[in-house]
Amino acid sequence: MLTGIVFWVLAVVAVAAGVAVFRVDSMARATYALAASFIAVGLVLLLVDLEFLGVITVLMMTMEMAVMGIYMIMFMGMNPALMPMSMVHGKRPALAVSLGTFVVLAAGALLVPWPTRRGAPAAGLVTSLGEAIMESKMLVMMTVSPVLFATIVAALVLALPRGRYDRLGDDLKGTALRGGSRR
Amino acid sequence: MDLTRLAARRTAVLAVEVPGWSRTRCALEQDVRARGWRLAGSPADADLLVVCGRPGARLTAAVDHVWSQLPGPRARAEVTTADDVPAVLDGAAAELADGAAQRRDAAGRPADPEPGTTAAGDDGMGDMDMDGDSGHSGDMDMDDDPGDADGDHASGDGDMDMDDDSGEGGGDDSGDGDMDMDMDMPMPAGIGLAGAGGDDQLPDPDGLDMDVLHVPLGPVLPHWPAGLLLHTTLQGDLVVAARAEVLLPADDAPPDPPVHGTPAGRWDAVATLLVLAGWDDAAVRAARVRDGLLAGGQPPEAERLTRRITRSRLLRWSLRGLGRLPEGDAHDRLRHWLTGTGQRRSTELSAVAELVTGLDLATARLVVASLDLDTADRVTVPVGAGS
Amino acid sequence: MTVTEVSVGWVPVAAALLLLVAAAAASLDGALAARSAGQPLGGGLLAPVAETARLFGQRRRTTVAADLPLQRIGGAGLLTAALLMIAVVPFGRWTVADLTVGVVWFNAMDVLVWAAVWLAGWGPNSAHALVGGYRCLAQALSYELPLMFALTAPAVAAGSLRLGDVVAAQSGLWFVVWMPVAFAVFCVAVAGFSVWGPLSAPTGATTAGGVLVEASGVDRWLLSTGRYALLTAGAAFGATAFLGGGHGPLLPAWLWLLVKTAGLLAALVALRRVLPVIRPEQFAAPAWLVALPLVLLQVLVVSVVVVVQA
């Protein structure tokens, strides 16, 4: 009973916050509406006893959205972030794609004959999750993580050809900048 | 009204020093400490606004603006000599405790905050030469922007011209953002917005075309040289251009005997720099040494405090390399103040602007504090003598 | 010693206890401040009460074109995160929520602080506050990763993410004894997410108060109280994960936890007296180049010990 109420509250919050992402007119609100939506989803996961996945979703998504706040200023200048703006671009194709996705997923959820549960959940869910991910696929994970990290760093390097430290020197004294303008 | 009495034990005082009245400000700080009160960090934090000295017209306007930002209950006072400080604070405290008067004051105030500065474009930021050696970017020619008495005031108020959201007018599809905004564009709350700078846009140190924001630092800003108004142009939090001026005291007002250049003045500079470096404990002790010196004593703890401050590695690490001048950096200057060595050297206002350019806002504050500017000294110099 | 989950009715008691200990920390800070100002300690000890009376009598103030909803969410966020943090900390034999992933939960709540502080800085629409909010994110990026690995060490040693198991695993030897690096990194990170002491740059004087610059009245009270509450919750978690939780002779388990929490909290409060603030832009290098490798080494040592013992 209580679980049911909590589930519905969280579900409504998740969807409403998701809708809000596109309805609000400020990037800060959109970012944190998205974070709220993800947090609600993470808490729903707690309800089905996926504690680790639920909490890690909350952790990752909050952190991600907070960091996105940095990027949104960094790469878009201040204007789009600081003044009212529409969060929707290319409305028609976006609408078509999202409706199509929703229909496919909903149809799948309703029409696929889901198997009934066999056996009981493992006692140590975190342990079994770790084994499922890490045991046979350890090599893959070990390879993927440095590649992913290198990709992020490389993307940043490409996006920022000359950082503040290139121009100003390690101590950010700015002699390079001012020297340049004097010439 | 026990609660009011309890609240009064932690009264926060926003001290405004007019150039020339550092001794009064020191006395104020000492008395505030002796009462168990504390100094406020911003108008929002303050219960009392105490002006030390007689401000000139522009400084008065700035103080008035800051006064409108005190949340209330609030009280305001002016003190011009160190001896008057206790009486003035007693009076202000009584006013603060007067419930009926406070209610009248609250009823008479506008419900909504008023937009303040239009920092953008009020100060002739046309002189964008970054080398700042042209002489006119640092002197005190007041005719540069006549009639903007309402313009410049403390930072730390709510009306910096950043705006994020008005809850209305979300229709404009300005996703590509930085081309079509203009500083003159009317903005939702009637305040100027950080804009893609157009003419103001300077090569950004990060290679990111951050928008340009004009933020005046001072003249009412705690731990800041008296009356100094630093017009900064920010891109992100980096100061890409700055112009300094000093707002003058009222004419023919006799200022205090100078503190600058005395041992007490050096400890005052130490205390200011330490507050900004975030070391409250050492800062308070330095202020106590200063007050001891002003009272004519020879505080015994000075030596131990000197050792403690010079030994701090963390402090050395954060001040090392900041505000580098021919005779050393911020930490060197701090050591000179502490040991009393090194002759005093007055820093030109134009040099201030140049030193803070290229730094972020917080580091710029540290650099300015490390210069120990004597803004009172400048008032006695005839205007225009430097240029 | 087994940990039992108490009913939801005890939540207000836990919250009150958190606020009480946080108030004690504020008193201690007030007393230390009074001592360095050369004032009688009594006034300092009363500081949190007097400050509360002052702020509750002060008007709330709004700024032009402020984003009020976000500002309010950010302001309330610190205290909320602290309350959610202590929910998983076992108080002797009792705990409010006996999560199997308590350590991760604590970590997730400390990340909520990133969002809260940034929102509190963003909301008022003021340059200094915004800079303060960004400074918080900048230093959070520095301390968070070392903190995550520091939290891994006790979890690996206990073989569980449940805090009750972490405490039980310390019946013989406190983790701090053989995980000093992880403990040190954890303490620095507590100062970080409480915006305290050497890591208080987001509220520093260089930005005129940073995220606090526009806050008055109840808003300021929530932010300041939230900082003390976070410091307290961090100390309680540190006492649990590194200082043996309720283990100790003679006294009951809950009293031991209280004593250890108080000790760690006092040390954290005193940190502010001893150290100046670290500039966030300088903090990244030592955090990533020194602390992170050291704490990884610490986790390696712990893992090897665990494997060898098994």
Side-chain angles (χ1 to χ4, degrees), chain B residues 3 6-7 9-12 33-34 36 38 41-42 44-47 69 71-73 106 109 111 113-115 155-160 162-165 189 191 213 215 217 221 223 237 275-281 284-285 288 308 312 314-315 317-319 322 360-363 365-366, chain C residues 30 32-39 42-43 46-51 53-55 57-67 122-128 130-131 135 197-198 200 205-209 212-217 220 272-279 281-283 285-286:
Chain B
L3 219 54
L6 198 58
R9 300 179 72 130
R10 288 281 286 175
T11 306
R33 206 171 52 239
R38 62 192 186 83
S42 69
D45 187 22
D47 305 306
Q69 295 176 346
R109 298 179 69 178
E114 38 194 296
S155 69
D157 50 2
D159 45 27
M160 293 312 169
M162 293 196 186
D163 167 62
D164 53 78
D165 172 70
I191 56 176
L213 185 68
V215 175
L217 292 182
L221 186 61
H223 321 299
D237 69 340
V275 172
L276 288 174
W279 199 2
D280 295 344
D281 190 62
V284 167
R285 288 172 193 274
R288 282 173 65 193
R308 185 172 167 215
S312 168
L314 207 53
L315 190 68
W317 183 49
S318 26
L319 294 181
L322 288 187
D360 70 273
L361 194 60
T363 314
R365 290 291 310 274
L366 283 174
Chain C
L32 291 176
R35 200 190 63 169
S36 56
Q39 292 304 308
L46 261 183
V49 185
E51 185 73 8
R54 182 180 88 89
L55 289 178
Q58 199 175 48
R59 294 213 305 177
R60 269 175 137 172
R61 131 184 210 289
T62 48
T63 46
V64 176
D67 195 335
W122 170 274
N125 186 22
S126 151
H128 276 121
L130 189 61
V131 170
R135 278 158 83 80
S200 62
T206 39
T207 45
L212 285 172
V213 69
E214 305 295 352
S216 70
R220 179 175 281 266
R272 184 178 151 200
R273 302 277 131 210
V274 187
L275 297 177
V277 167
I278 303 173
R279 285 157 56 202
E281 65 267 32
Q282 284 185 318
F283 185 47

Side-chain angles (χ1 to χ4, degrees), chain B residues 2 107 120 219 225 227 235 270 302 337 354 386:
Chain B
D2 234 358
Q235 283 176 204
V270 170
W337 296 337
E354 186 166 11

Side-chain angles (χ1 to χ4, degrees), chain B residues 293-351:
Chain B
L293 286 168
L294 280 177
Q298 199 63 36
E301 62 268 31
E303 207 164 311
R304 221 179 59 218
L305 188 58
T306 300
R307 271 204 309 279
R308 185 172 167 215
I309 294 169
T310 44
R311 268 213 311 260
S312 168
R313 287 197 193 158
L314 207 53
L315 190 68
R316 190 178 323 146
W317 183 49
S318 26
L319 294 181
R320 187 53 83 207
L322 288 187
R324 197 162 275 162
L325 290 171
E327 79 273 13
D329 57 20
H331 194 260
D332 293 330
R333 291 197 286 279
L334 175 68
R335 277 215 322 268
H336 287 316
W337 296 337
L338 287 168
T339 52
T341 57
Q343 67 278 43
R344 270 189 51 75
R345 201 194 75 92
S346 71
T347 311
E348 288 302 314
L349 280 180
S350 56

